[in-house]
Amino acid sequence: MLTMSEASLVLARINAHHGNMPLDETSVSMLREELLPDMTLREACEAVRRFYAGDDADRWCRAGNLNRIVRRMRRDRLPSDAQVESEILRLGLTGDAAWLYRCGRLRGRDSRSAALLTGRAGDGQAGLLPAGDDGNAPETGSLGV
């Protein structure tokens, strides 16, 4: 969640388009509470810029407008299905590993961290480990020794 200071910067950017109306604590607090809880200052400022760059009706930018723009910005950063499929093929993932990778990528992870979800970071290691196997069990011979 943005701090009060960050929210006041966002509101000041909005007010700059409407005669620099003075900020008050109530307005800043309300804006802050209505914004997406994980919105960053950078995202909020970019959303304000995009709103006014594309608005020709002299409307006020509101929290709902910023939330909608930020959601769209985040969605646009996600890879396409075709791109994810290409990455899966390149990594040689199948089954559960491919599914985990796809889920990671479509939830906003970069390709390296999505690959780590599968137990495969592009270093030629095997994919998912069997349930309960942490990969550190000592090898045993035919006599269990």
Side-chain angles (χ1 to χ4, degrees), residues 9-83:
L9 288 171
V10 173
L11 191 54
R13 289 179 76 99
I14 293 169
N15 286 354
H17 292 274
H18 302 282
N20 284 322
M21 206 169 88
L23 301 179
D24 61 82
E25 189 173 337
T26 303
S27 298
V28 173
S29 180
M30 286 177 59
L31 176 72
R32 180 177 180 255
E33 291 171 8
E34 294 169 355
L35 293 176
L36 295 170
D38 60 342
M39 186 181 298
T40 66
L41 178 60
R42 174 174 273 155
E43 287 175 325
C45 290
E46 176 60 17
V48 170
R49 188 196 68 74
R50 289 183 186 197
F51 178 84
Y52 286 108
D55 183 55
D56 57 2
D58 200 31
R59 296 178 303 134
W60 279 77
C61 182
R62 299 179 184 193
N65 301 117
L66 297 179
N67 291 339
R68 189 172 27 263
I69 293 168
V70 167
R71 281 188 195 104
R72 188 178 321 125
M73 289 170 21
R74 289 175 179 176
R75 189 179 57 242
D76 290 346
R77 285 193 301 253
L78 293 177
S80 68
D81 285 338
Q83 180 181 347

